[in-house]
């Protein structure tokens, strides 16, 4: 006899991207998507600013 918790543990788990997209679809909070994209772009710039690609990035600005 299995309960809901055991059934959920047997289901296939998705990655964080599919979980987030499911959350956006279920709660209708699509305004979070541009905010997340801006945060990811800033994180990418911070990471790349400490690498050898930094001189190429700074010429864009």
């Amino acid at each position: 006899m299995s309960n809901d918790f055991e059934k959920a543990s047997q289901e296939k788990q998705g990655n964080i991207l599919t979980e987030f997209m499911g959350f956006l679809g279920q709660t209708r909070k699509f305004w979070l998507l541009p905010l997340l994209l801006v945060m990811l772009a800033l994180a990418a710039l911070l990471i790349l600013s400490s690498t050898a690609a930094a001189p190429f990035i700074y010429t864009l600005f």
Side-chain angles (χ1 to χ4, degrees):
M1 185 168 176
S2 63
N3 58 17
D4 291 335
F5 183 73
E6 291 175 355
K7 289 178 186 176
S9 69
Q10 299 298 325
E11 292 178 0
K12 183 178 179 287
Q13 294 180 349
N15 60 11
I16 193 161
L17 185 62
T18 56
E19 290 283 333
F20 186 69
M21 294 307 282
F23 167 75
L24 289 179
Q26 188 175 15
T27 59
R28 305 280 188 211
K29 294 189 178 190
F30 293 110
W31 56 270
L32 287 173
L33 199 57
L35 180 66
L36 179 69
L37 292 176
V38 168
M39 289 174 55
L40 288 175
L42 288 175
L45 280 176
L46 284 173
I47 290 170
L48 290 176
S49 67
S50 63
T51 63
F56 301 108
I57 294 172
Y58 290 132
T59 59
L60 296 175
F61 299 107

